[in-house]
Amino acid sequence: MQSYTIGQAARLLGVSPDTARRWADAGRVVTHRDEGGRRLIDGRDLAAFSVEVGQGAHLEDGEPYTSARNAFPGIVTAVKLGDVAAQVEVQAGPHRLVSLLTREAVEELGLEVGMRATARVKSTSVHIDRT
């Protein structure tokens, strides 16, 4: 399972590294240390926390999370596979994006809960890039 540094988690959550650090210090998200002493957050834990943060829908500074060129970097919070189709949910800061795509595309990208991904929105279509 992929783990994220405090800085990476902050970018995925749409907050500053200081905010992410405060949340970790307060025990809102569980961290562990790697052999170099860096604090890391397990991808599944970050996915669950990002959903919680997203449901709050407001960042500390009151500014909404925005993204240039309709790209929303975030973390995969759910993958539902059907026989042919699939549904992938990405939490990008306070935004929850859902994409319907083929099962084959999900498998080729290796998408799973806790991975970084970027949702790209064009009109009513949401495309997922593995990042």
Side-chain angles (χ1 to χ4, degrees), residues 2 12 74 115-118 120 129-131:
Q2 186 165 356
L12 293 170
M115 295 182 78
R116 278 187 301 183
T118 300
R120 297 193 186 276
D129 298 338
R130 180 176 172 180
T131 54

Side-chain angles (χ1 to χ4, degrees), residues 48-96:
F49 183 67
S50 71
V51 170
E52 176 188 320
V53 169
Q55 289 171 345
H58 298 293
L59 301 177
E60 287 184 359
D61 61 5
E63 290 296 317
Y65 180 84
T66 61
S67 180
R69 298 185 181 163
N70 300 320
F72 294 83
I75 188 166
V76 176
T77 58
V79 176
K80 298 173 187 165
L81 296 174
D83 290 337
V84 176
Q87 178 178 311
V88 176
E89 295 181 22
V90 173
Q91 191 72 39
H95 306 291
R96 176 180 163 262

Side-chain angles (χ1 to χ4, degrees), residues 14-118:
V15 298
S16 72
D18 286 337
T19 296
R21 218 173 275 109
R22 281 194 303 275
W23 287 344
D25 290 344
R28 289 189 61 192
V29 64
V30 177
T31 63
H32 63 278
R33 298 214 181 249
D34 67 4
E35 48 286 337
R38 294 182 309 166
R39 290 199 306 181
L40 300 174
I41 302 169
D42 178 76
R44 288 192 184 276
D45 292 338
L46 183 58
F49 183 67
S50 71
V51 170
E52 176 188 320
V53 169
Q55 289 171 345
H58 298 293
L59 301 177
E60 287 184 359
D61 61 5
E63 290 296 317
Y65 180 84
T66 61
S67 180
R69 298 185 181 163
N70 300 320
F72 294 83
I75 188 166
V76 176
T77 58
V79 176
K80 298 173 187 165
L81 296 174
D83 290 337
V84 176
Q87 178 178 311
V88 176
E89 295 181 22
V90 173
Q91 191 72 39
H95 306 291
R96 176 180 163 262
L97 298 111
V98 179
S99 180
L100 300 177
L101 56 162
T102 64
R103 178 187 180 117
E104 180 181 10
V106 170
E107 290 171 347
E108 283 179 10
L109 291 170
L111 295 175
E112 61 183 40
V113 173
M115 295 182 78
R116 278 187 301 183
T118 300

